[in-house]
Amino acid sequence: MANSSAPHPGSSALNSARRLPFTARPFFENKARAFWILQAVGWSGYLLLRGVVSISNGLSLDGVIPVIVEAIVGYCITLLLSTMYGQYRRMNRLVGIFLTIATLAAATFLYAVLDAFTFSFIATATPGVTLTRLLGSVYVTFTVLFGWSALYFGINFYLIVEQQIDQMEHLENQASSAQLAMLRYQLNPHFLFNTLNSISTLVLLKQTERANAMLSRLSSFLRYTLANEPTAHVTVAQEVDQLKLYLEIEKMRFEDRMRPKFDIDPRAERARLPSLLLQPLVENAIKYAVTPQEEGAEICVEVRLAGERVQIAVSDTGPGLIEGRIGSSHSTGVGLANIRDRLAQAYGPDHRFETRSTPAGGFSVEIEIPYQLEDVNREAA
């Protein structure tokens, strides 16, 4: 019988899917610097374009002077607009929109008057502002200032979206780390209760040497769990060492009834996996294979490297998968469901988790994860 998991993608997959197709974050890391660069480049380009058009229309070099004045005036007006727009963005939305439109209209009229007056020095012998010249200037200045304003609000909106995406990613990472920590911390009280109960029994039986030995091994085991962060990954070699320490504690309870066996591929020893991933599997094997059988059972832990995948199997020679075992496994909250959730959090869909039971007896859990040498969870945090 096989039971395979198909979890939803992890937080890293969700983050990559939600990211925009490109990011301008390096350029806008310093907003003030980015504004001045865009302001200088934009108005320089405007001056160059207007100057080329004026010369191509037959104006002399002296006729380019009003174009230069026009660009300088536009540069100064947009500086004032940026300050006022910044204030409006902090106000109520409707009030801000109304003030933005009113300010744009006022700036357009002021720019048009100054522009018309400047070009009147070239067009007529008596400088002044006429209605025809003013209306022509209004069209040009409104187009320029409206385009500038659209870019201003568009860029700021884009930066707000980028900031919100970063906040969402940060919150998702925190939620994922909190869930991993919760799943890991479920293991410690469960195991601690069983071990302390055994130590208490040894003390009542006045077997002080065995009780002291179990306490010493328990302290070493707990020191290992505290030394590693709950969301951290450890190497297969470290996980196996911890597992052997755990089995030494349980060996004092079951003695020859529990027969552990390890078959670890040396090439897979540096591969990383979530800390204390295998301990609940071995604990289940002890509970459902060793405990109910008078002759005990053999528990085998195998780790193999197959290409870029690490294959892990924890099997026992117990009675196999029976109804009572299923109910008990889920009732503890720290059994197979815990492992499934931790694998889903750590690897998303990039893993395999299967349970098998043979008619002749015996139960095994098979796990396949990517071969990784770096602690990806710590890097993500």
Side-chain angles (χ1 to χ4, degrees), residues 140-203:
V140 175
T141 55
F142 174 76
T143 302
V144 172
L145 294 184
F146 179 81
W148 185 94
S149 300
L151 281 174
Y152 175 88
F153 285 106
I155 291 173
N156 277 280
F157 176 77
Y158 171 79
L159 293 178
I160 291 173
V161 171
E162 279 277 299
Q163 184 179 12
Q164 290 177 344
I165 290 176
D166 285 346
Q167 290 175 350
M168 288 177 62
E169 289 181 352
H170 180 66
L171 291 175
E172 286 177 354
N173 286 334
Q174 285 185 327
S176 178
S177 297
Q179 186 169 358
L180 283 171
M182 178 192 68
L183 293 170
R184 237 293 300 274
Y185 284 140
Q186 285 179 353
L187 307 177
N188 295 339
H190 184 78
F191 160 69
L192 188 60
F193 173 79
N194 291 337
T195 305
L196 290 178
N197 188 48
S198 298
I199 294 174
S200 176
T201 301
L202 291 175
V203 171

Side-chain angles (χ1 to χ4, degrees), residues 60-187:
S60 62
L61 291 177
D62 293 338
V64 179
I65 294 178
V67 175
I68 298 175
V69 174
E70 176 188 351
I72 294 174
V73 171
Y75 182 88
C76 296
I77 289 177
T78 50
L79 288 181
L80 182 61
L81 286 178
S82 68
T83 302
M84 300 179 74
Y85 287 167
Q87 296 296 325
Y88 299 159
R89 287 167 51 208
R90 300 184 182 94
M91 299 180 179
N92 177 272
R93 181 171 298 179
L94 292 178
V95 175
I97 292 175
F98 173 78
L99 291 176
T100 298
I101 294 174
T103 302
L104 177 60
T108 299
F109 180 77
L110 174 63
Y111 193 11
V113 170
L114 295 175
D115 187 47
F117 183 76
T118 301
F119 275 92
S120 67
F121 282 93
I122 301 175
T124 62
T126 56
V129 178
T130 64
L131 181 60
T132 304
R133 189 175 295 122
L134 180 62
L135 291 176
S137 296
V138 165
Y139 173 77
V140 175
T141 55
F142 174 76
T143 302
V144 172
L145 294 184
F146 179 81
W148 185 94
S149 300
L151 281 174
Y152 175 88
F153 285 106
I155 291 173
N156 277 280
F157 176 77
Y158 171 79
L159 293 178
I160 291 173
V161 171
E162 279 277 299
Q163 184 179 12
Q164 290 177 344
I165 290 176
D166 285 346
Q167 290 175 350
M168 288 177 62
E169 289 181 352
H170 180 66
L171 291 175
E172 286 177 354
N173 286 334
Q174 285 185 327
S176 178
S177 297
Q179 186 169 358
L180 283 171
M182 178 192 68
L183 293 170
R184 237 293 300 274
Y185 284 140
Q186 285 179 353
L187 307 177

